Amino acid sequence: MASTPFIGTRSLRRQTTIVLVTSLLLLVIVLIFPLRILLLQSFAELETNSMQTDLDRVVNAVQTEQNRIDTALVSWSTWDDTYAFIEAPEADYISNNVGDDVFASYKLNLMAFLDQQQALIYGRMTDAGRFGDLPAEFLPFVQQVPQLTTFSDPTQRNLGIVRFQERIVLIAARPIINSQGQGPIRGTVIFGRYLDQQLLDTLAATTLFPFRLEDAVNPPSDLRSSMQQLSAANPRLISPIDEHALRGLQQINDLQAKPALVVNIVRPRTIYNHGQQALQVVLILTAAVTAVGGLILYVLLNRVVISRVLKLSSEIKHVANNLHERVAVVGNDEVAGLATSINQTLAVLEQAQRATNAAETERNQFQANILASQAKQLALQDQLIQAQDVVIAEQATPLIPFRDDMLVMPLVGAIDQARASQILRTLLQGIEQQRARIALVDITGVAQIDGFTAEMLLKAANAVRLLGAQLVLTGLSPEIAQSLVAFGQQLDQLTTFSTLQAGIAWSIRR
């Protein structure tokens, strides 16, 4: 059977290509996005855990140094010679035991012996190789930090961080007892070491990575906002600086539980960047496999299904206006079954075409009748709505003739712009028709007066005055009067009464 080309024969291939490409893209998206989230989240958690470990190592290194100072302090605080020295100070104890080599050996910067009354028995300090006595402000400083000299039992130790002379000091304090570890406690011995660059180098060598210890009281300007987020409940903050660097902050408190130091570690985001590179490789491989598989699938679909369907479509186009003709049936599969079904449908359509033409005429006439009926119904509804609007407007602004020369208008509910115009129009028309000399407007039923309502009442009073009448405002409560004044309206332009009865009585006397 000869057939003419079908104009839309290429649309099936195009649509198949679009569906196939879209499906493969969706498949890639469904695979890649969860994989991206899971992988990057895992790498982010891994670098966060690594940063937490580094922060813990720095904190542990600082605590280790504190424990080292405290360990050196033990032999001095539990020594009979020290116990006797506090009771009866002698120069021999100092000359024999407290030499310059002791500071160097224990890596100390200050040493102090106090009795039970917190009086300084002996104190000495060194800084950059220069030795000297403790300054006068040392005792007031000790008194401000009671944790240094307050002990609940002879074995207690107090160690931590303090700020002395604007410097950070690692400090340890123990009670002075005898060599048997018994009291009574005769005083306190204190060892301290400045947190200087030498100590920082020692801590960095211990942790095997560089870091900084920032002053929590005077933080650097670039870290001020980040350090403000630290607290006792949340002493640690780990956040990326950018795509290439990660910052970790850890707050360290002093002996009085106040922020003293903040550990600052900056690390390259090596783990996270490796994760992104791995994800890119996975994405490329997934896209390549999907593209090859999609191409193979498209070729198979084109040969087995699309070409035959397009040929069948071309024949259907030819017989579309010739219901007595039929399409060719080739093969014994679903496409051939579709051709057979089409031929059967063409036969049924040929028989039903005549009946359809007759029914179409009848249906058109029926639809025309329905449309005409609906138009009439809509017109009646519009008339009813307009009548209802007129009734509602009249009920919203009732005008009651009280006498030949007096009208009463009670207002109830909220007053908007449309209702205000209706009120003013009804009032003026009533005054003109009744030739009234007094119009009483009762606002007892108005719950709230706003600036717009107040301005409307003043405009009504002026308009009524132009008609030769007078507007009397009744039902004015103290609250509404205050509202009118608050909105800047002058009440002296209105004749007002608190009740409608009072306004009527006044009008009758007039």
Side-chain angles (χ1 to χ4, degrees):
M1 178 184 297
S3 61
T4 58
F6 178 46
I7 298 176
T9 53
R10 297 185 181 276
S11 65
L12 182 59
R13 286 193 175 95
R14 183 169 60 252
Q15 293 174 4
T16 302
T17 303
I18 293 174
V19 171
L20 185 59
V21 171
T22 302
S23 301
L24 294 177
L25 287 177
L26 289 175
L27 178 61
V28 171
I29 292 173
V30 169
L31 290 176
I32 291 301
F33 275 90
L35 185 62
R36 175 184 177 83
I37 294 174
L38 292 175
L39 280 179
L40 293 184
Q41 183 177 0
S42 298
F43 283 111
E45 290 178 355
L46 185 60
E47 71 174 3
T48 299
N49 293 334
S50 177
M51 178 62 76
Q52 290 177 345
T53 301
D54 291 345
L55 291 172
D56 289 337
R57 290 174 64 183
V58 175
V59 173
N60 292 335
V62 174
Q63 292 176 348
T64 299
E65 180 62 21
Q66 293 175 353
N67 291 330
R68 185 195 66 78
I69 297 173
D70 179 69
T71 301
L73 183 62
V74 173
S75 59
W76 291 78
S77 62
T78 58
W79 188 19
D80 289 338
D81 289 357
T82 306
Y83 198 70
F85 172 72
I86 295 299
E87 184 70 17
E90 295 181 357
D92 291 344
Y93 177 85
I94 300 300
S95 60
N96 294 334
N97 301 299
V98 187
D100 296 348
D101 57 334
V102 173
F103 285 83
S105 176
Y106 292 136
K107 299 179 181 179
L108 300 178
N109 291 102
L110 66 85
M111 176 185 296
F113 296 85
L114 289 77
D115 61 14
Q116 194 65 1
Q117 287 73 37
Q118 297 185 7
L120 182 63
I121 303 302
Y122 174 78
R124 197 179 186 197
M125 63 182 300
T126 179
D127 188 10
R130 295 186 297 272
F131 288 88
D133 296 332
L134 289 174
E137 58 264 27
F138 181 77
L139 281 179
F141 160 74
V142 171
Q143 294 172 357
Q144 293 175 2
V145 186
Q147 291 85 352
L148 289 174
T149 57
T150 304
F151 304 98
S152 58
D153 61 76
T155 62
Q156 182 181 349
R157 64 172 186 171
N158 293 331
L159 66 158
I161 298 173
V162 296
R163 183 183 299 274
F164 178 60
Q165 291 184 328
E166 300 302 323
R167 299 185 67 173
I168 301 298
V169 183
L170 302 184
I171 203 162
R174 280 183 174 268
I176 297 176
I177 54 179
N178 57 32
S179 298
Q180 288 74 37
Q182 298 178 354
I185 297 174
R186 286 189 176 177
T188 304
V189 58
I190 300 174
F191 284 0
R193 181 179 183 181
Y194 290 138
L195 186 58
D196 51 15
Q197 188 59 46
Q198 181 181 3
L199 179 54
L200 290 177
D201 294 340
T202 302
L203 296 177
T206 302
T207 57
L208 302 179
F209 56 82
F211 63 89
R212 293 175 57 185
L213 290 178
E214 311 291 355
D215 191 342
V217 177
N218 300 306
S221 57
D222 60 329
L223 293 179
R224 187 171 290 113
S225 60
S226 298
M227 291 173 61
Q228 288 176 350
Q229 303 178 39
L230 301 176
S231 62
N234 186 27
R236 177 174 293 177
L237 176 63
I238 298 175
S239 60
I241 301 175
D242 50 34
E243 294 182 356
H244 307 290
L246 182 72
R247 185 188 303 279
L249 300 176
Q250 173 72 49
Q251 179 176 289
I252 301 178
N253 294 335
D254 60 11
L255 269 175
Q256 295 177 304
K258 297 179 181 179
L261 296 173
V262 174
V263 180
N264 178 16
I265 301 178
V266 178
R267 291 281 181 275
R269 304 190 69 180
T270 305
I271 298 175
Y272 187 79
N273 292 332
H274 286 172
Q276 287 186 321
Q277 294 174 1
L279 183 62
Q280 291 176 358
V281 173
V282 172
L283 178 61
I284 293 173
L285 291 177
T286 303
V289 171
T290 303
V292 173
L295 180 61
I296 295 174
L297 182 60
Y298 175 79
V299 172
L300 293 177
L301 284 174
N302 185 61
R303 287 187 176 183
V304 177
V305 179
I306 297 176
S307 297
R308 296 177 62 195
V309 171
L310 292 178
K311 182 178 180 181
L312 180 61
S313 298
S314 179
E315 294 181 358
I316 292 174
K317 176 65 177 180
H318 176 71
V319 302
N321 298 320
N322 303 284
L323 295 180
H324 62 279
E325 295 187 9
R326 300 293 180 265
V327 300
V329 178
V330 180
N332 189 25
D333 53 13
E334 286 79 2
V335 177
L338 177 61
T340 302
S341 299
I342 291 173
N343 289 334
Q344 294 173 353
T345 303
L346 289 173
V348 174
L349 290 175
E350 186 178 5
Q351 296 175 2
Q353 188 174 30
R354 298 182 184 88
T356 302
N357 293 335
E360 183 70 19
T361 302
E362 182 179 356
R363 185 172 64 253
N364 291 338
Q365 183 61 39
F366 180 71
Q367 290 178 346
N369 295 336
I370 292 177
L371 291 175
S373 176
Q374 290 177 344
K376 293 180 180 180
Q377 185 177 3
L378 290 174
L380 291 175
Q381 289 178 351
D382 290 339
Q383 295 176 1
L384 179 59
I385 291 173
Q386 292 175 0
Q388 290 175 345
D389 290 341
V390 172
V391 173
I392 291 172
E394 292 176 353
Q395 293 177 353
T397 57
L399 189 63
I400 304 171
F402 188 77
R403 292 190 324 187
D404 292 340
D405 61 346
M406 186 185 305
L407 298 175
V408 178
M409 176 178 282
L411 299 181
V412 178
I415 301 175
D416 56 13
Q417 186 173 3
R419 190 181 177 195
S421 300
Q422 178 66 24
I423 291 171
L424 184 58
R425 183 167 56 253
T426 302
L427 182 61
L428 297 179
Q429 289 176 355
I431 292 174
E432 182 179 6
Q433 293 173 1
Q434 299 293 331
R435 298 187 179 278
R437 133 182 108 77
I438 296 176
L440 288 89
V441 177
D442 183 63
I443 60 172
T444 304
V446 178
Q448 184 177 2
I449 294 292
D450 56 13
F452 173 78
T453 306
E455 183 179 358
M456 183 275 294
L457 292 174
L458 290 177
K459 287 182 178 179
N462 293 331
V464 168
R465 190 180 300 111
L466 292 175
L467 293 179
Q470 181 177 2
L471 186 143
V472 178
L473 186 64
T474 67
L476 191 68
S477 65
E479 293 79 7
I480 293 180
Q482 291 178 359
S483 298
L484 290 172
V485 174
F487 288 117
Q489 306 300 336
Q490 300 298 326
L491 297 182
D492 53 5
Q493 301 180 22
L494 294 173
T495 302
T496 61
F497 294 95
S498 61
T499 64
L500 178 60
Q501 291 82 353
I504 291 174
W506 178 87
S507 301
I508 291 175
R509 291 195 300 271
R510 297 275 295 181

